[in-house]
């Protein structure tokens, strides 16, 4: 097939997703992208920008615009694009991929949420032939919030959109690059702890640093890598933590290159998440694939990511899935207890993995792009098949 891909925010995870898929796809792709800044402007204006670019492209190349389908993300108002695009493109079967959404994306004050962006999602869904979410957790959370929004409207005109959306929605996990190197053995010494997330309130850094403070008070030796993307409004806890744990810090802040980020992953004994919100958890998957042991709260998409491990533990007969050693209860005290236990195990055995535990690193192989690109190609072909039949 010939695929037209429109990415209004070509940077970060959006860029990694598009590049990872199209570079391994068996189909032929044409990409149109816009820079990854001013996200609100991108959502407002991407349809106009892409329509103008494609009109010029078709004129200059004398192309017949013989693409078979369109792939875009939830940052494009697909309905607007269909109305503004060259006539030969308006009827292309379209898939909208949701990396995130503006109906459940965390805001510090719910009253300040701009529901116009949520409406952009709903009208795009109405114009789409299929809607893909990056996790089942994300899909379910979105539809729960959308149902609440629809009930607030003065009439039921949006309800048919929601009923149709649930029928055409599916889950398509993103892929990751196979690690250039991964850690297969561990050394004695202080436990190396990695926290890698956006430096924002929804990633709950307070709980992480509270747990680290407990470790320090208990006299447990450790080393810290605290990395992630930062924006203008960084929570104050980071400056305080940098001063408090300055003697334990190895890496701090945004890693400027992919190699530096990968090194932070492979150096880690344990990857910790304290997030209160996560649509998928790309850094979690990448860290585990690089050999870090996960320690995650049992919420969000995390049970989905570790589903093979959960199943193996549940079938064990000796312990239930609820006793999964890669989860903690979400509180700082519990996190500190688990980290202390792992520190003692590393000191005693020189390893964090026990013979009876399943290997979480192996469970991440299903997310490598070699597998995910083929699966998404198949999903796209199924969409085309269903479209041609309807």
């Amino acid at each position: 097939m010939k695929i037209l891909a429109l990415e209004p925010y070509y940077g970060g995870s959006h860029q990694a997703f598009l590049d990872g898929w199209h570079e391994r796809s068996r189909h032929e792709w044409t990409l149109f992208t816009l820079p990854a800044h001013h996200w609100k402007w991108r959502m407002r204006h991407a349809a106009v920008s892409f329509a103008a670019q494609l009109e010029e492209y078709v004129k200059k190349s004398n192309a017949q615009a013989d693409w078979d389908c369109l792939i875009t993300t939830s940052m494009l108002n697909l309905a607007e694009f269909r109305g503004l695009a060259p006539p030969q493109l308006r009827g292309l079967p379209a898939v909208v991929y949701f990396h995130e959404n503006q109906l459940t994306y965390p805001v510090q004050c719910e009253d300040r949420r701009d529901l116009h962006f949520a409406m952009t999602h709903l009208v795009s869904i109405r114009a789409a032939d299929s809607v893909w979410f990056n996790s089942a957790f994300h899909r379910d959370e979105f539809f729960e919030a959308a149902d609440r929004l629809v009930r607030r409207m003065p009439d039921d005109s949006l309800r048919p959109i929601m009923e149709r959306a649930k029928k055409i929605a599916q889950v398509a996990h993103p892929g990751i690059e196979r690690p250039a190197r991964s850690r297969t053995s561990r050394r004695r010494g202080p436990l190396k702890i990695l926290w890698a997330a956006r430096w924002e309130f929804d990633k709950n850094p307070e709980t992480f640093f509270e747990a680290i403070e407990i470790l320090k008070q208990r006299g447990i030796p450790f080393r810290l890598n605290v990395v992630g993307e930062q924006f203008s409004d960084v929570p104050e806890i980071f400056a305080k933590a940098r001063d408090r744990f300055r003697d334990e810090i190895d890496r701090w802040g945004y890693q400027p290159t992919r190699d530096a980020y990968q090194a932070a992953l492979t150096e880690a004994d344990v990857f910790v998440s304290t997030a209160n919100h996560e649509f998928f958890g790309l850094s979690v998957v990448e860290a585990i694939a690089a050999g870090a042991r996960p320690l995650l709260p049992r919420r969000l998409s995390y049970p989905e990511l570790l589903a093979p491990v959960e199943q193996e533990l549940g079938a064990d007969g000796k312990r239930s899935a609820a006793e999964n050693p890669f989860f903690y209860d979400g509180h700082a005290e519990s996190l500190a207890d688990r980290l202390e236990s792992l520190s003692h195990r590393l000191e005693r055995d020189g390893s964090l993995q026990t013979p009876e535990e399943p290997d979480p690193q192996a469970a991440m192989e299903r997310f490598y792009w070699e597998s995910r690109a083929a699966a998404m190609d198949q999903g796209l072909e199924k969409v085309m098949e269903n479209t041609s039949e309807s």
Side-chain angles (χ1 to χ4, degrees), residues 170-190:
Q170 57 181 287
V171 174
H173 294 136
I176 64 166
E177 300 293 338
R178 186 180 291 274
R181 58 187 183 276
S182 66
R183 194 170 181 185
T184 55
S185 62
R186 305 185 183 277
R187 82 290 174 262
R188 295 180 186 273

Side-chain angles (χ1 to χ4, degrees), residues 173 280-282 284-285 301-308 363-364 366-367:
H173 294 136
F280 174 71
L282 202 60
V284 178
V285 175
S301 61
Y302 298 146
E304 186 176 343
L305 301 183
L306 290 182
M364 298 302 105
R366 72 193 197 280
F367 295 116

Side-chain angles (χ1 to χ4, degrees), residues 196-209:
R198 282 183 289 104
W199 288 21
E200 293 187 299
F201 74 97
D202 62 296
K203 300 307 180 182
N204 189 21
E206 291 80 6
T207 293
F208 175 70
F209 290 121

